[in-house]
Amino acid sequence: SKNDEYHFELGKYINIQKPAIVIGIGKSIKIAIDQISNSEIYCNHFTKSDNLINFLKKELNRGDAIYIKASRSMMFENIINKL
């Protein structure tokens, strides 16, 4: 599908940009994460938002910058509100 193609390309782009951490929830973002082969990038795909929230609460420090990309169906505002 076109969506899968976009996420495949997103993963290749992320691989070049070298962020420290890439995490996600959902089938589509897993396609992107699976394309990241750079060993300097920590990647994790979560199946439950509570697991992602717990990870972020443990790993984030005051002043850290994060970028969140999500479709509206993922309701990421709920995750942001829990942080």
Side-chain angles (χ1 to χ4, degrees), residues 4 7 18 26 33 35 65 70-71:
D4 291 352
H7 283 84
K18 301 180 191 172
I33 289 172
Q35 299 313 305
S71 63

Side-chain angles (χ1 to χ4, degrees), residues 12-22 36 38 40-42:
K12 290 183 357 185
Y13 178 77
I14 291 169
N15 203 43
I16 295 167
Q17 298 306 309
K18 301 180 191 172
I21 298 172
V22 176
I36 300 169
N38 188 324
E40 296 176 20
I41 303 172
Y42 172 83

Side-chain angles (χ1 to χ4, degrees), residues 2-83:
K2 208 61 157 160
N3 183 56
D4 291 352
E5 289 177 36
Y6 291 140
H7 283 84
F8 183 87
E9 291 301 319
L10 174 63
K12 290 183 357 185
Y13 178 77
I14 291 169
N15 203 43
I16 295 167
Q17 298 306 309
K18 301 180 191 172
I21 298 172
V22 176
I23 57 175
I25 300 173
K27 183 182 85 169
S28 294
I29 198 62
K30 180 152 180 15
I31 294 168
I33 289 172
D34 287 346
Q35 299 313 305
I36 300 169
S37 59
N38 188 324
S39 62
E40 296 176 20
I41 303 172
Y42 172 83
C43 298
N44 200 341
H45 176 259
F46 296 94
T47 56
K48 296 181 180 178
S49 61
D50 287 342
N51 294 342
L52 183 137
I53 291 165
N54 290 335
F55 173 84
L56 287 174
K57 283 183 175 180
K58 187 176 82 173
E59 295 297 321
L60 286 178
N61 296 305
R62 183 173 291 288
D64 283 352
I66 61 172
Y67 171 78
I68 297 179
K69 180 255 180 234
S71 63
R72 282 296 309 131
S73 65
M74 297 301 293
M75 299 181 355
F76 261 63
E77 66 274 10
N78 294 336
I79 292 173
I80 299 302
N81 290 334
K82 291 181 180 181
L83 293 176

